[in-house]
């Protein structure tokens, strides 16, 4: 489809916007009048610049409140429209947007509105222009797509047609069925925008919190499909008003925007190709749609990568029950393993302990994910315009794909155990000196349960898009926590199938934004017996987080647990949660070199959460305890 | 009154909170259970610490959802209450807060709620405690103070009384009349919180956006007065949940909080002392209320102070029509004047031009305000716990009071022209070499119209409080603008009488927060003829902001102005606005040394705004033009 974006959807001066939009390979733009008025470029210069950049000007947005106007003032309105049509002529655009009147004084008289919109249509017709009329969700009288369509039919003018905006339509609780019976040739423009579900005034919601398709909570594909099925063949145009975008680099935003449209096209293709055959099966329209290799059907966590190491980190891993399982054939990478839990230490060899210098502190910089088809993933990554990491593969080594998330998390995509692209093939096995021969199956920990990292608010939508568009992962509900210095909002991304869980800790405040360590700061391993694991770690000298006694008193008030159970949890510093489906036990290490901490957890029954009720206590304890986890 | 604050209203760990609260001279606290549970201090240790700090524990908040509970689950609820009462016993508190049930499953049966709240009351009575029952504004069935009072009456238990929270009461649209007929001895606790008017879900509103009294939009004094007039003599306790406070320094917050209560007491005193005598005049209760000297009745702008100078700045001021009017008797301060507009250049003498080094760039660091009684202001400042600036006064010099606003603007308070404390007395007059003898009255500019400065979002409430509590200034409506790199929200503070206007430009985003210059970055002078002033400045080589041609085309569309009028505005780069009351013409200099800009404006008729419609164009032009305003 022809892909466009409104100039208001990226930041900067008009010239910067145009450059960024063209660089992201958009086909066209909507020109916002406010961007034009504030620009030193005259309309003809904008037209020339767009032509040079290969961008069509698909829409001009200069009109507000042109119907439902006090008849006394309407001549002044028409004068204003006339002036703007002159500008539009210079701009070389042919479709202009008119929104429903949203002023408190708007007159609620359908005949008057029809007469006035018709008069605007007459003026547009003189220039050969089309007026696309849109119902703002907060329009005084006309605020649903059905109202707008009623008016367009009533006007019955060859130069007046309907504009559909997914935000306005969905924000009012309508869905694709609201478009039934509207012929495609009467739809002059299609704008797409998503938004998170927020309980706030719809005007504020629309002006500040729109996001690109796939980043919010709206189901856009059915609406876009309905418009296309009706016969609309015009642009698919993004119109996003967002406080985040207003501060972002326009080049980053434009790329993010393009990816959202590519993903939307992919959804449309699935919709048309995937629907079961039958009399109701919608016919796939003859339009070009983005067609990359599909997202992996199943994603499993494979390993975490720690960027540096030294004897202290080795001692700590050993104290946590890990042992060296292998050494990379060609790179200075050591594979540490505890049952199904894998940690790769990637360093410059056996260096002296460098924890003292911040620059060389160990930090978890990457995560390995196992999928069925690595080359297909790499092709998908490239089609979605995500630059790949330049990974070197020695002859005969597994081909691993790499890509950085917007916040800079190295994401390595590997084959499944035993496959050609399995990362384990690149390691020379080392026998576990503590094991008597062969390692028992099922011994040790289960594996990685989840990894968590801090995401600055301004990157949160992009980070979600990354996981969603590349891996097909879906975001869960938002949980909110307060730590002693600010607010954290957590969101878990999970694939449709596979055990991977990635926790995005979105930090909004200055303090948390500035203070939190970069990279992955939390890795949680599942284990078959947390109480035993806690005892073993403590005996081996691992510094575990001290949980306040008051917490256990509160636990006794919240849950009807036997006193002996509470006593053993208290003795080991293990936290507890329960829901209708099961129980959850977890224990935390202190921070490791100030950079990250390890959680060891046990899920009993069908418990599927993360012990959110305990998070404020954990955050307070972490703030209080800065001593390191490494064994003495 | 006994002044208290909830531990949740300041940031940090419980121990830090207690220290900050005590340092701000509070009498008592509310202990939030979540703060206690996360604390390594056991309840008896908290009690001991509070005693040491001279803080009473006025309330404990451990209970949620204790009425309207499924009868099957109620034994578990009572067990939970029992555990918490044991904690409370150790804490030494005697009043506990119970909020109305806000779970979706809450049972809407008044008899059941009364029975259950009565059972909680029985348990409390065994300990000699009182349950204060509060209606949460989002309670499932009980969400207004009248609902809560109905339940308390129905329970009819000596240990169950009402809690009043101004947020919950006002957020539901109730006012003081909702308290009519409730006897003061049945009110067990009074919590005060303010909030800005926000169209959002009331739960989110309450949890994230409460502010201290006087910082929001609620009229708290009538509600507090009604509670006190009913006979309540308990604590006046702040309960603020705020994302801003969660990130702020607890010592700064606690001081801010105390000032808000002092100001609220002052309002109460005015209310009782100021009401006209008559049969309905409320009797002033016999309670101690804060009694500082009153805020100045009239505040006028006197001067702006620029912190450094050099020949370039001198040339620029001269090119703008200023001349040297005086030199300070003892300090290296030069007084520049253009009619009624005064600029004080405060530097280390006639230095070389140092604009090239950022550290010595000229910046507007202070504003002078004229009031009737400087010593009274100084006493008020001190009573409100604002530290004064250490200003040196030579013998015979005017005594000027100084105080820094939270964002660091030096605010000098001087007497009126001709009074003993008039700042002009400290200057030796210099004859204007360009004038033929005596200066004509009425010549030159009118004076300072407004000054504006950037306020980081986290300091915006404190900055408003500063002007409000010290000077009695009131905030106007919020205007929002988008500049090429983020969103700015403007709020104008004005005194009840007097020409002073201070524009607070609240910046929320990272870019604007990081990028904007500190200090006053905008000073607007009123002048009798902007077109003439613009011509004169341009002729003298002052760099004025270039307004895009597209702006004037848009002006012609927006307003029915004669073409000649638009042509002369365009020729001089003067911007224009109009409302029902009058017209507004204004012109901007380019930035001066990257630090600030000057606006010269003219108000025609009763126009009282700031040309907000032009702000996006001005911001874009400023972003585009970095060349300096200084004459070539």
């Amino acid at each position: 489809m022809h892909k466009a974006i409104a100039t208001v959807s990226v930041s900067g001066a008009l010239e910067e916007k145009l450059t960024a939009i063209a660089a992201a390979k958009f086909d066209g733009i909507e020109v916002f009048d406010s961007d034009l008025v504030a620009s030193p470029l005259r309309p003809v210069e904008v037209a020339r610049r767009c032509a040079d950049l290969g961008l069509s000007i698909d829409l001009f947005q200069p009109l507000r409140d042109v119907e439902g106007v006090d008849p006394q003032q309407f001549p002044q309105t028409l004068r204003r429209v006339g002036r703007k049509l002159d500008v539009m002529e210079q701009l070389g655009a042919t479709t202009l947007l008119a929104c429903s009147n949203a002023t408190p004084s708007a007159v609620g008289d359908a005949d008057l509105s029809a007469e006035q919109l018709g008069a605007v249509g007459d003026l547009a017709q003189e220039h050969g222009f089309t007026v696309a009329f849109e119902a703002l969700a907060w329009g005084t009288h006309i605020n649903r797509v059905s109202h707008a369509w009623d008016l367009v039919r009533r006007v019955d003018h060859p130069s007046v047609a309907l504009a559909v905006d997914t935000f306005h339509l969905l924000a009012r609780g309508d869905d694709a069925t609201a478009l039934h019976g509207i012929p495609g040739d009467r739809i002059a423009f299609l704008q797409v925008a998503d938004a998170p579900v927020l309980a706030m005034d719809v005007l504020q919601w629309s002006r500040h919190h729109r996001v690109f398709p796939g980043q919010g909570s709206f189901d856009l594909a059915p609406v876009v499909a309905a418009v296309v099925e009706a016969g609309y063949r015009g642009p698919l145009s993004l119109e996003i008003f967002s406080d985040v975008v207003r501060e972002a680099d326009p080049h980053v935003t434009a790329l993010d925007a393009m990816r959202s449209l590519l993903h939307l096209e992919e959804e449309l293709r699935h919709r048309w190709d995937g629907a079961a055959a039958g009399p109701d099966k919608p016919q796939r329209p003859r339009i070009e749609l983005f067609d990359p290799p599909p997202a992996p059907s199943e994603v499993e966590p494979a390993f975490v990568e720690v960027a540096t190491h030294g004897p202290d980190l080795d001692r700590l891993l050993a104290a946590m029950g890990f042992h060296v399982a292998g050494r990379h054939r060609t790179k200075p990478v050591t594979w540490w393993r505890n049952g199904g839990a894998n940690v790769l230490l990637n360093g410059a060899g056996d260096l002296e302990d460098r924890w003292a210098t911040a620059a060389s502190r160990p930090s978890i910089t990457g995560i390995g994910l196992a999928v069925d088809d690595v080359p297909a993933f790499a092709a998908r990554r490239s089609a979605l315009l995500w630059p790949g990491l330049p990974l070197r593969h020695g002859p005969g080594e597994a081909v691993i794909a790499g890509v950085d998330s917007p916040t800079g998390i190295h994401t390595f995509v590997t084959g499944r155990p035993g496959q050609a692209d399995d990362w384990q093939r690149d390691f020379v096995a080392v026998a576990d000196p503590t094991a008597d021969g062969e390692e028992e199956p099922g011994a040790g920990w289960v594996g990685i349960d989840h990894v968590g990292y801090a995401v600055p608010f301004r990157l949160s939508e992009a980070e979600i898009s990354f996981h969603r568009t590349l891996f097909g992962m879906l975001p869960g509900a938002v949980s909110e926590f307060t730590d002693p210095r600010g607010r954290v909002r957590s969101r878990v991304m999970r694939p449709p199938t596979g055990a991977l869980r990635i926790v995005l800790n979105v930090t909004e405040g200055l303090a948390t934004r500035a203070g939190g360590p970069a990279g992955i700061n939390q890795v949680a391993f599942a284990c078959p017996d947390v109480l035993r694991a806690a005892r073993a770690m403590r005996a081996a000298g691992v510094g575990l987080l001290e949980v306040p006694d008051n917490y256990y008193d509160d636990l006794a008030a919240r849950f009807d647990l036997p006193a002996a159970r509470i006593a053993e949890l208290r003795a080991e510093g293990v936290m507890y949660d329960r829901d209708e489906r099961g129980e959850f036990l977890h224990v935390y290490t202190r921070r490791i070199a100030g950079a990250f901490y390890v959680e060891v957890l046990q899920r009993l029954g069908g418990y599927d959460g993360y012990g959110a009720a305990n998070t404020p206590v954990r955050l307070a304890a972490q703030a209080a305890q800065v001593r390191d986890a490494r064994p003495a």
Side-chain angles (χ1 to χ4, degrees), chain A residues 263 266 270 292-299 371 376-377 380 384 467-473 496:
Chain A
H263 187 60
E266 188 182 15
H270 287 170
S297 58
E298 195 181 333
V299 189
V371 304
F377 170 82
R380 178 177 181 82
L384 279 163
H467 293 294
R468 190 165 186 162
T469 60
L470 270 180
F471 296 99
M473 295 175 73

Side-chain angles (χ1 to χ4, degrees), chain A residues 73-397:
Chain A
Q73 284 167 12
F74 192 66
Q76 166 64 19
T77 303
L78 275 188
R79 212 184 56 80
R80 175 162 59 94
V81 172
R83 294 276 190 171
K84 292 298 174 182
L85 293 179
D86 292 342
V87 172
M88 192 164 155
E89 194 76 66
Q90 297 162 45
L91 210 49
T94 58
T95 305
L96 76 158
L97 193 80
C99 302
S100 62
N101 195 326
T103 59
S105 61
V107 183
D109 174 340
D111 287 327
L112 179 73
S113 286
E115 184 194 317
Q116 293 178 335
L117 190 53
V120 172
D122 287 342
L123 282 185
Q125 196 172 21
E126 290 172 20
H127 292 265
F129 296 162
T130 301
V131 178
F133 181 71
E134 166 181 273
L136 294 176
W138 55 92
T140 310
H141 302 288
I142 297 171
N143 45 46
R144 304 181 79 144
V145 71
S146 58
H147 304 165
W149 174 234
D150 285 349
L151 182 59
V152 167
R153 273 195 302 185
R154 195 181 286 257
V155 175
D156 191 22
H157 192 294
S159 297
V160 177
L162 183 70
V164 174
D165 180 311
T166 60
F167 177 85
H168 294 299
L169 187 148
L170 294 163
R172 293 304 313 246
D174 280 331
D175 60 24
T177 59
L179 301 171
H180 270 335
I182 303 178
D185 61 2
R186 301 301 292 138
I187 301 176
F189 209 73
L190 172 60
Q191 292 175 319
V192 287
D194 198 349
V197 170
L198 292 174
M200 60 162 38
D201 173 71
V202 69
L203 176 60
Q204 291 298 316
W205 189 22
S206 170
R207 290 220 175 134
H208 302 297
H209 300 282
R210 290 189 185 204
V211 290
F212 293 115
Q215 295 179 340
S217 310
F218 285 152
D219 194 8
L220 303 186
V223 180
V224 174
V227 174
V228 174
E229 286 166 18
Y232 174 82
R233 292 294 178 271
L236 182 64
S237 185
L238 290 165
E239 191 193 38
I240 307 299
F241 306 91
S242 150
D243 293 342
V244 172
V245 156
R246 282 181 191 126
E247 297 191 7
D249 178 328
H251 286 268
V252 172
T253 304
L255 261 178
D256 207 29
M258 175 50 79
R259 288 186 193 117
S260 79
L261 284 188
L262 293 175
H263 187 60
L264 181 58
E265 285 196 351
E266 188 182 15
E267 278 188 85
L268 289 171
R269 202 169 41 73
H270 287 170
R271 189 181 171 79
W272 285 313
D273 292 351
D280 292 340
K281 182 180 187 324
Q283 182 107 40
R284 171 168 170 179
R286 287 164 172 274
I287 54 173
E288 247 188 78
L289 291 170
F290 180 59
D291 192 5
S297 58
E298 195 181 333
V299 189
E300 300 287 346
F303 57 81
V304 291
E305 183 205 50
V306 181
T308 186
H309 65 104
D312 266 12
L313 190 52
D314 290 357
R315 268 204 300 281
L316 178 62
L317 282 170
M320 293 171 77
F322 284 79
H323 60 88
V324 174
R327 297 194 192 277
H328 196 279
R329 294 177 196 281
T330 56
K331 297 175 188 164
V333 179
T334 314
W335 167 20
W336 287 75
R337 178 173 175 183
N338 181 348
N342 301 302
V343 174
L344 302 188
L345 297 192
N346 189 346
D350 281 314
L351 299 173
E352 291 302 294
D353 182 1
R354 300 184 304 175
W355 287 22
T357 67
S360 60
R361 274 184 188 166
S363 61
I364 307 180
T365 51
I367 176 167
L369 306 180
V371 304
D372 275 333
D373 187 343
V374 176
F377 170 82
R380 178 177 181 82
R381 178 195 56 62
S382 168
L384 279 163
L385 311 175
W386 286 105
L389 286 177
L391 300 178
R392 286 177 296 110
H393 306 104
E397 287 183 12

Side-chain angles (χ1 to χ4, degrees), chain A residues 32-79:
Chain A
F32 256 62
D33 197 30
S34 52
D35 282 328
L36 182 63
V37 167
S39 174
L41 293 181
R42 300 293 274 160
V44 288
E45 295 171 309
V46 173
R48 201 178 311 132
R49 185 94 186 98
C50 285
D52 290 349
L53 291 167
L55 293 170
S56 58
I57 299 183
D58 299 317
L59 191 78
F60 182 43
Q61 286 222 28
L63 302 185
R64 291 270 153 174
D65 311 327
V66 296
E67 52 74 37
V69 177
D70 175 351
Q72 292 246 300
Q73 284 167 12
F74 192 66
Q76 166 64 19
T77 303
L78 275 188
R79 212 184 56 80

